[in-house]
Amino acid sequence: MQLRPFQETGVRFLLSGRNRLLADDMGLGKTVQAISAWSRLPEGTKLLVLCPSSVKYNWLSELEDWAGRKFKAFIVNAGEHLPALTPFDVVIANYDMATKPKVAGLLKAFCRSGDTVLVCDEAHKIKNPAAQRTKLVLKHNGGLRVLCSRVWLLTGTPVENRPMDLYPALSTLAPELLGNYQSWTNFGIRFCGGFRGQWGWDFSGSGNLDELADLLKGFMLRRKKEDVLDDLPDCLEKIVTLNTEVKADIHSLTLPEFRQELGLAKVEEAAAYIKEVVETGEKVVVFGYHRGVLTQLAWALEKYGSVLMLGGLTSTEKHDKILAFTNDDDKKVLVGQINSVGQGVDGFQKVARHVIFVELDWSPSVVQQAIDRCRRMGQSRDVVVHYLLTKHPFEHRLRTILKKKRAIIDSVIVSTNEKENLMVTSKDLLPVISKLNELAKALTDFAQGLDAPVAESAATAQDPKAIRKPKPAPKTEPKTEPKEAPKTEDAELAITDEAINDAAKAFVGTGPDAVENKKLAKQIIADFSNGGRAKDVPQERRADLIETLKAGPSAFQTEGDGEEEGF
């Protein structure tokens, strides 16, 4: 096997310095480039891979194909005996296992045993400085990056919400690039539109992005599929309107309850549609959100050897199900939960070109990642994406907001033009952050067509029987200007409970609608905390929550269905 020219460029980029961020589009072979770069380092250089659980065995498979050298590998799995790791050449562990004290200690001993390359796959998972996984990798004292001779970050989404997402990696792996902006405060003021609010610094904005892009040169490389794959198959999108009768009353249900009822109502017609596609001789990959919906769908398609993949599977179970679908001709349908199967899974492109969405996620990037499970290197045919929608206005408003979000992102993310020898795409990538406020405003489009403000909780995606009503939001405490106390680096970067409550107070206001606004604010906070309070909102979701609250109550007003053509 031979690398493509753009992959050869990626290998040289990784080898050009101690710490590098490879941010190629999904499906361009970042794994292969990292393995090939490692194989060109001196014999005896070790490799530690941290990755999502679902891709551990894919890493081993790719190593066997591309390493070009003999190696002894160990995969860290839950519930299995964990030996000393120092005798191995390659160790692969998922992030959650790696943070366990015993595992972390063995990984550090592995890194100390010789020159070691640390590869962080899906590296956007270490952007939250308060998370244990981020501390394990980036901590100044005792972090894995200090113990390894090289650190390579791999991700197709280097910036998800705001420029501050880049700070943990930049400040630790490439501080020399930041010059006068190495401190959290200086970086936030210069590049995140930082200002001091009632509850301290607010760095949720953006500024001076061209300057930040220039600073990033040499640290990040990004290419898009359309720019480097001349033979990339087309992606054809198809909107399919089902005649499903929606009996659920949106006025008497919370949004998670309604979404689940909507999905369950689709099952019969969706199964009939999927059967038609399968009977043309094609394998299909089906995505949805709720476990109950997907389980019923898999039962309805049992005749076609349906393989059901939900969240909570071990890496071994996921690997076995992927192999069953890709290797067994009688397994025609894979039914997967989008947040579990839609990321970090490879192999579907070898056997399937039809991607069918029975339910959609709120994020266009999650939807796109799911599509890219089939539209990636190794796919020789055009990919057909089917969106199965009912006639209910809710689904058409969700379709509209996804379309608008995707248009905004596509308008600013432009990859490096290799013909011009540009090594970094940050100048093209980072402006997406400055438009995040436009995404918040687009919530108005979603709200049109609904007659009552409701909030969604991710709890029903995990258990259809465990639909939880939003818990009451905490009473707003009297707020006083906090004293400027010394903070740790992690505490500085974390978004506090007070900041959320402050945004909620601004959302509620003091006008005649304050009572109703307060109820809505409680539901929004419950949505982001799985039915809990401000203190229960995970750090990785807090920036999104504050952006949502900043949109104000008007973003949730309802009028008309505003249906729009296209997706």
Side-chain angles (χ1 to χ4, degrees), residues 291-313:
R291 299 172 71 95
V293 174
L294 295 170
T295 300
Q296 288 198 21
L297 197 58
W299 288 342
L301 297 167
E302 196 171 16
K303 172 184 175 183
Y304 301 94
S306 57
V307 177
L308 179 63
M309 291 185 66
L310 303 176
L313 296 175

Side-chain angles (χ1 to χ4, degrees), residues 30-31 35 49-63 75-77 90-95 119-125 154 309 313-320 322 340-348 369 373 376:
K30 292 186 289 293
T31 300
I35 292 171
V49 178
L50 299 184
C51 60
S53 177
S54 60
V55 298
K56 288 191 294 190
Y57 285 93
N58 182 66
W59 264 95
L60 181 59
S61 176
E62 296 284 18
L63 277 161
I75 295 180
V76 179
N77 287 319
V90 177
V91 172
I92 303 170
N94 56 295
Y95 287 107
V119 175
C120 296
D121 195 7
E122 303 291 347
H124 52 273
K125 293 182 177 293
L154 312 181
M309 291 185 66
L313 296 175
T314 66
S315 56
T316 302
E317 290 169 337
K318 286 183 180 179
H319 182 67
D320 290 344
I322 292 170
S340 175
V341 187
Q343 303 178 40
V345 173
D346 192 32
F348 294 165
Q369 286 199 48
R373 296 311 99 204
R376 57 199 295 117

Side-chain angles (χ1 to χ4, degrees), residues 65-263:
D65 290 340
W66 290 93
R69 64 167 68 166
K70 292 182 179 180
F71 61 89
K72 186 178 180 182
F74 184 83
I75 295 180
V76 179
N77 287 319
E80 296 183 4
H81 172 67
L82 192 60
L85 300 177
T86 52
F88 294 94
D89 305 302
V90 177
V91 172
I92 303 170
N94 56 295
Y95 287 107
D96 291 338
M97 282 295 297
T99 57
K100 296 183 182 299
K102 181 179 179 181
V103 178
L106 290 172
L107 294 179
K108 290 178 181 180
F110 174 78
C111 294
R112 292 190 186 100
S113 65
D115 283 346
T116 304
V117 176
L118 170 62
V119 175
C120 296
D121 195 7
E122 303 291 347
H124 52 273
K125 293 182 177 293
I126 58 169
K127 69 175 184 178
N128 175 13
Q132 288 300 314
R133 65 184 64 172
T134 307
K135 295 176 182 178
L136 173 68
V137 175
L138 299 179
K139 193 173 181 180
H140 288 284
N141 298 321
L144 293 176
R145 59 105 181 172
V146 179
L147 305 176
C148 294
S149 54
R150 295 173 184 263
V151 180
W152 296 339
L153 307 182
L154 312 181
T155 176
T157 52
V159 177
E160 289 190 310
N161 294 307
R162 51 188 180 148
M164 190 54 82
D165 291 345
L166 289 167
Y167 181 76
L170 275 175
S171 62
T172 54
L173 299 179
E176 69 282 357
L177 298 180
L178 296 179
N180 295 328
Y181 310 117
Q182 291 186 23
S183 74
W184 170 77
T185 304
N186 288 347
F187 183 92
I189 293 173
R190 186 65 180 173
F191 302 117
C192 306
F195 65 92
R196 188 182 288 277
Q198 183 177 358
W199 295 101
W201 286 105
D202 185 331
F203 292 142
S204 59
S206 61
N208 300 300
L209 296 181
D210 287 345
E211 181 182 354
L212 179 57
D214 289 337
L215 294 179
L216 282 170
K217 288 181 178 178
F219 177 65
M220 182 172 75
L221 172 65
R222 177 177 173 83
R223 284 79 57 87
K224 292 186 71 176
K225 291 194 292 287
E226 292 79 4
D227 296 329
V228 296
L229 295 182
D230 295 333
D231 57 347
L232 182 69
D234 287 336
C235 182
L236 311 174
E237 295 188 329
K238 183 177 181 181
I239 306 297
V240 179
T241 301
L242 304 176
N243 290 320
T244 301
E245 181 181 357
V246 181
K247 297 180 180 180
D249 181 10
I250 195 169
H251 304 289
S252 60
L253 300 172
T254 62
L255 188 51
E257 292 172 328
F258 177 76
R259 279 194 75 193
Q260 182 170 251
E261 290 300 318
L262 193 61

Side-chain angles (χ1 to χ4, degrees), residues 2 9 56 65 67 89 91 111 122 230 259-260 268 273 291 324 340 349 357 362 368 370-371 379 443 449 500 519 526:
Q2 188 173 1
T9 299
K56 288 191 294 190
D65 290 340
D89 305 302
V91 172
C111 294
E122 303 291 347
D230 295 333
R259 279 194 75 193
Q260 182 170 251
E268 184 176 352
Y273 181 86
R291 299 172 71 95
S340 175
Q349 74 274 18
F357 289 94
W362 294 101
Q368 188 60 52
I371 294 171
Q379 178 61 264
L443 285 167
I500 295 175
K519 292 179 181 178

